[in-house]
Structure formats: structure tokens, C-alpha cells
Amino acid sequence: MVEAPPPSPWPARRHGLRFGRPVPGAQRSKDGWWLAWRGAAVMGVVNVTPDSFSDGGRWAGPEEAVEAGLRQAQAGALFVDVGGESSRPGAEGVPEAEELRRVLPVIEGLSGHGVRVSVDTVKPAVAEAAVAAGACLVNDIRGLNDPAMRRVCGDAGVPAVVMHMQGEPRSMQRAPRYRDVVGEVEAFLLERVELALADGVPGVMLDPGIGFGKRLEHNLALLAATARLAGHGLPLLVGASRKSLIQDLVGKVPPQARLPGTLALHLRAAQLGAAMLRAHDVAEHAQALGVLAAVSGAERRAEETGG
Ligand code: HH2
């Protein structure tokens, strides 16, 4: 027997993230503050680094970075992700004091304007200071493997993005290996969610970590498994913005010219149930998602009325 396909999750699916403290736009409930949204939202990216792979050195100082983040928020970003250490393949780590010097003024500036800021860091001390400066979400590409990171999030009442990475940025693209990439990434993420929730982290967003210790075939398998990875009752973040898998697919193209490929990957992820798209080009994503939602809504209405 041929089974009917499941109903499309787009655009009706609701997503929510729980906070242990008030956050702009979140509703108070008996177990914390819930931020709810429908369909795929956008997380803007502001890298305050000299060496990020696509926007390194773009902002002359904190004021320019704050302005860029404000523009992203005005264009519809639900969060603005501020990072002070590049995680591009081959990147070396940055000392804690330098990372703090880069991100804190930007986080203070943005959160002072009511922007929901997430901090992209793997260092518990940076996360702690960022949260004290107004960040309300911790984006940890090491998937909260450090108990101190889970403690920081739990104590401060901030949720976290738990991302999968095989290896370390310095060497992760040398020889990534999986027997079953989707199964292994999914099992890793669910294990980390359990640890996080047990340690009092109020909410978790899952992220398969596109490009982090993955070859093209791994990235494609994970993107194709978006509906499965989004099916665990937790919001799923997809971050393919400007990444090199796009040129692996279509031939050499510099990072700043990868918006068309990014949109193709992100719109498909949105259709398959992704809750959040981490993107450098927020206004362009907002336009594309708005058009996709309208067309999908019209299709649905036509199906319902037999049109
Ligand atoms: N990708 C990058 C950085 N942080 N965080 C999450 N959760 N998911 C991602 O896919 C992700 C991430 C890499 O992109 P970018 O920040 O633009 O570059 P760099 O690491 O070179 O600063």
C-alpha cells in the first residue's frame, strides 16, 4: 500500500523556545517565558572578527557592528548572532580577553535597543559575560559539551543552540568520516539535549552543523533529513549561509556571491520544517520567506477548495 505523504509542515508549524527570564516578545507562562513563532525565522549574523570566512573585518568598529545588527533586526531577524571568534575551517582560537573585547560592546549596544541577541561562543566565561551584557541565547558550536557552559545557561535562564561538529575548526575538514551521518548527528544532538535539560538549561534549539566536519555528501544528507531532525519537538536551526557546499555544488564562487545558493538551501529547509535559518543576508531572506509563505498559503487554500 502506498502511504499518503505527511501534510506539509510549511507554513503552519509553530515553534517555541523557553527562557528562564523575560525576553522581548516572549509570553510569561507557569514554566518560564516562551517565545513563539510560525514557520522559519531568521537569525542574523554579525561577526566581530578580522577573519570570518564571509564577513571578517567588515565592521570598522563596534558602532558599525551595532548598526548592522540593528538593520538585521529591523529587516525581521528574530535573533542577531554576535560572534568574536571565527570557526571557519582552519581557524585558530582567540584568547578570552580579546573575544570579550570584540563582542561585549556590540551585545550591549544591540540589547540596549531591544534586539534579541545570541552569542556565538564556545567559552563559558564569554557566554556568562555576554548574558550579563544582555544576550538571551547562547550559540555553542561545541554543542554544550562543557558542563560549565550548561551551568552558565542554566543559572542565567537562557536557552542554547546545540550544534554538531566532528573534530575542531582547525582540522575538521581534513577527513570527516561517518557510517550513518544522519543517525550519528541525530543521536549526538538528542544526547546533548538530555544533558542540557538535566542541568537546567531552559530550552534548546538543535543544529546539524552544516560544514562542520562534513563533506558535501554529509551536508546534503543532513539537509535532506531536515524533516526528520525537526521532528523531535525542538526547533531546528539550519546554517548554510554562504558556505562552501554551495561552490561544491555549482563551481567556484566567492562567499559574498553565494546568496542564490544560500536561499535555495534555506528555503528548502524552511519547507521541510526548519524553525530558524542563520543568515548573513537578513532582508533578502525575509523577502524570500514572505513570498514562499504566500505562495504556499495559496496552494493550501486551492487544495482545500479543490481548486
Ligand atoms: N556557522 C558558523 C558559525 N556559527 N553556529 C551555528 N549554530 N550554526 C552554524 O551553522 C554556524 C554557527 C560559520 O559561519 P560564520 O559565522 O559566518 O563564519 P565564521 O565562523 O568564519 O565567523
Side-chain angles (χ1 to χ4, degrees):
M1 196 182 84
V2 179
E3 279 182 33
S8 159
W10 177 264
R13 187 186 284 200
R14 282 179 68 81
H15 305 286
L17 193 59
R18 187 160 77 95
F19 295 76
R21 59 186 201 168
V23 164
Q27 300 294 318
R28 173 111 216 218
S29 73
K30 53 185 183 321
D31 61 349
W33 283 261
W34 281 89
L35 184 67
W37 67 98
R38 233 176 232 284
V42 180
M43 171 185 275
V45 180
V46 174
N47 285 316
V48 203
T49 56
D51 57 342
S52 285
F53 80 96
S54 84
D55 59 352
R58 174 128 188 240
W59 321 119
E63 294 80 18
E64 286 79 2
V66 169
E67 274 167 30
L70 282 175
R71 279 196 300 276
Q72 293 184 350
Q74 278 152 11
L78 194 61
F79 292 93
V80 173
D81 194 32
V82 177
E85 177 177 68
S86 172
S87 53
R88 74 183 194 289
E92 295 291 339
V94 169
E96 189 176 296
E98 173 60 12
E99 193 178 336
L100 285 168
R101 192 191 65 74
R102 292 177 184 178
V103 297
L104 287 185
V106 181
I107 293 171
E108 271 163 16
L110 285 172
S111 55
H113 281 92
V115 174
R116 284 175 224 92
V117 175
S118 99
V119 59
D120 187 350
T121 187
V122 298
K123 298 188 185 76
V126 173
E128 191 169 22
V131 165
C136 62
L137 177 65
V138 170
N139 175 20
D140 181 6
I141 63 164
R142 289 187 198 275
L144 298 183
N145 74 324
D146 186 339
M149 195 61 129
R150 302 197 292 270
R151 205 162 41 241
V152 166
C153 295
D155 289 352
V158 298
V161 179
V162 169
M163 197 197 81
H164 175 273
M165 167 166 63
Q166 188 179 90
E168 298 281 322
R170 211 173 336 106
S171 55
M172 65 191 177
Q173 288 306 104
R174 267 185 220 147
R177 243 173 238 284
Y178 299 87
R179 265 181 304 102
D180 162 17
V181 65
V182 174
E184 287 169 45
V185 168
E186 182 177 52
F188 166 92
L189 293 175
L190 296 179
E191 203 176 288
R192 289 295 165 85
V193 168
E194 239 175 71
L195 283 178
L197 298 179
D199 283 351
V201 181
V204 175
M205 208 160 358
L206 304 180
D207 181 350
I210 298 302
F212 285 88
K214 280 137 196 143
R215 266 198 260 273
L216 176 61
E217 76 245 37
H218 304 136
N219 290 318
L220 288 179
L222 287 165
L223 287 164
T226 296
R228 169 171 161 185
L229 297 173
H232 295 287
L234 293 165
L236 184 81
L237 184 151
V238 171
S241 187
R242 303 182 179 177
K243 287 190 178 167
S244 65
L245 84 147
I246 294 165
Q247 70 173 5
D248 293 343
L249 289 166
V250 299
K252 211 158 175 53
V253 49
Q256 293 79 4
R258 294 179 191 159
L259 178 59
T262 301
L263 284 173
L265 295 170
H266 279 176
L267 292 188
R268 188 65 192 130
Q271 288 177 312
L272 293 172
M276 188 76 59
L277 304 169
R278 184 178 180 278
H280 301 85
D281 304 286
V282 175
E284 291 80 356
H285 275 72
Q287 184 184 110
L289 286 165
V291 169
L292 182 65
V295 174
S296 305
E299 274 174 25
R300 192 170 285 230
R301 281 192 298 281
E303 266 167 35
E304 283 165 6
T305 58

